[in-house]
């Protein structure tokens, strides 16, 4: 197969798109690329070429594992920022045997967002 995968756009169900976009802006530096509705019912947010889609539903489904995994550089700096900002850090940076150092942060709807940095 010669198909190249270029990006992934996780879709997260949220109860309030405005609340969620504000959280992702403050916690991680995302910005809104596109928003639909007033109040918004759908938004695409972006940081450094990584996009996440937020869609409003009455009862968001929350996975029991990481709903979204984002590769980053600077996982420890992200932890410091999230801790200083009072965001819900679910797991401190952990070195995994498969060569990733990751941490988890919980968003307002309870989604576990994981951030991982390649190590070793």
């Amino acid at each position: 197969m010669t198909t190249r995968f270029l990006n992934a756009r996780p879709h997260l169900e949220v109860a309030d798109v405005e609340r969620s976009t504000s959280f992702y802006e403050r916690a991680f530096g995302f910005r809104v690329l596109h928003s639909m509705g007033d109040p918004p019912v759908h938004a695409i947010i972006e940081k450094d070429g990584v996009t996440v889609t937020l869609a409003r539903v009455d009862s968001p489904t929350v996975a029991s594992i990481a709903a979204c995994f984002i590769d980053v550089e600077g996982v420890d700096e992200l932890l410091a920022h999230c801790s200083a900002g009072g965001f819900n850090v679910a797991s401190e940076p952990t070195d995994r045997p498969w060569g990733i150092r990751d941490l988890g942060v919980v968003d307002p709807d309870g989604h576990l967002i994981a951030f991982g940095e390649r190590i070793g």
Side-chain angles (χ1 to χ4, degrees):
M1 183 169 85
T2 60
T3 302
R4 280 186 44 217
F5 289 64
L6 302 176
N7 193 6
R9 181 183 304 154
H11 291 249
L12 300 176
E13 295 181 349
V14 299
D16 183 325
V17 173
E18 282 183 301
R19 176 186 70 183
S20 293
T21 56
S22 176
F23 168 81
Y24 283 88
E25 288 171 344
R26 291 180 295 109
F28 314 122
F30 279 86
R31 66 182 183 89
V32 176
L33 282 181
H34 169 78
S35 181
M36 186 172 63
D38 186 18
V41 295
H42 180 270
I44 299 172
I45 58 175
E46 181 273 339
K47 173 150 176 76
D48 300 331
V50 172
T51 58
V52 176
T53 298
L54 306 170
R56 190 206 159 297
V57 297
D58 290 331
S59 298
T61 301
V62 177
S64 60
I65 60 170
C68 177
F69 190 98
I70 300 173
D71 292 310
V72 299
E73 291 179 350
V75 75
D76 291 308
E77 292 83 359
L78 182 58
L79 170 65
H81 170 77
C82 288
S83 296
F87 300 108
N88 184 359
V89 175
S91 60
E92 298 284 325
T94 303
D95 293 350
R96 307 293 180 181
W98 49 87
I100 295 287
R101 179 172 176 77
D102 62 14
L103 77 104
V105 180
V106 179
D107 81 358
D109 289 285
H111 296 293
L112 176 62
I113 310 301
F115 299 89
E117 179 172 23
R118 297 206 180 277
I119 56 173

